[in-house]
Amino acid sequence: MTLSLELTAREGLARAGVIRTARGEIRTPCFMPVGTRGAVRTLSSADLADLGVQIVLGNTYHLMLKPGAEVIGRLGGLHGFTDWSGHVLTDSGGYQVFSLEPGGNVALDDGGVTFRSTYDGGTHRLTPESAVEIQTLLGADIQMVLDVCAPLPSSREVLRSAVDRTAAWATRARATFLAQERPELSQFGIVQGGTDGPLRQESAERTLAIGFDGYALGGLSVGESRDAMLATLAATLPLLPEHQPRYLMGLGDPLGIVEAVALGIDLFDCVLPTRFARHGTILSGEGRYNLKRAENTSADRPLDDECACPVCARWSRAYLRHLLVVDEPTAPRLLTLHNVWWTLRLVEEVRAAVEGGSLEGVRSRITAAYG
Ligand SMILES: [Zn+2]
């Protein structure tokens, strides 16, 4: 079967729904934690199931280099390799190539991109075709086309070139994907164009003309202002099909989630909740704070008074802060469990608000805490 999206509620431009795939269902809006190298850092697939994670993002760039897509393919894809029965989405590897290998280590041409491995310095190449083949070996339920993500700010010429190349590559990626005849897998196209409205519009039209199972907005949440990002979303989302999933790549801060859903985004991913956790930055209903602050040294209260996560149910800020400052590996793990739980519950709350017509209430509360 091909992927489908049933919209079950709307409030303004915001939508709640259910994505159905051969693997099962994904309730939207939905946050995807990032499992860069085959695990959400410090967690296991059992933890993810306990947290209620529906779909995990895997990074093609890292997995193709270590342990290699063929190894993972032989061991049952990411599902078998990591023993995970939920959904998996993989990126194409392009974003990591451009962000991890700046300057002389990356050579871009019409055929693809050649880069030096961050692990061993070896030379590798990704093409629109090989990115599809690798993601199929990884067994991704949803795979992304190889795109060119221009940094922001970029000149219009750089953005134009990224849009052109992304469109040309998307055509090749779609042909390769369809030729595989794997109807249980899905493929999303990516709209580029920076914060340039007309370029975004053109990129959307060219991506739609090829035709994908869903559409992502790439090249946002890369350092531009929040207002510029939201204006770009507002200008681009109305061009995308109502009844297909819309994925905003790389966004996952609490206020960003609420604002993006309000404009009609269904899916998002971000390393922020997990990266924050490892550095002791805690997400809570009252905003984020640094657990290392002295005031938490003997604080006999949970990370968030309102949180029902397994960490907040048992351990005090004082204990968790102690583990963190003495570098116990348990600390990043427990703080990650809390931050991912908190983010997932926020998204569930946003979904319920869309269903109940009360998104504005959630938005004003999160704006007060995180604005
Ligand atoms: Zn908690």
Side-chain angles (χ1 to χ4, degrees), residues 22-38:
R23 184 167 301 281
E25 297 187 343
I26 303 165
R27 297 178 309 282
T28 62
C30 175
F31 172 73
M32 302 182 275
V34 179
T36 303
R37 295 178 170 89

Side-chain angles (χ1 to χ4, degrees), residues 142 146 253 332:
I142 300 174
L146 184 66
D253 67 286

Side-chain angles (χ1 to χ4, degrees), residues 303-304 307-312 338 341:
L303 295 173
D304 179 341
C307 181
C309 88
V311 177
C312 288
H338 164 82
W341 172 285

Side-chain angles (χ1 to χ4, degrees), residues 323-334:
L323 294 181
L324 187 67
V325 297
V326 299
D327 278 334
E328 277 297 332
T330 302
R333 170 175 163 72
L334 295 181

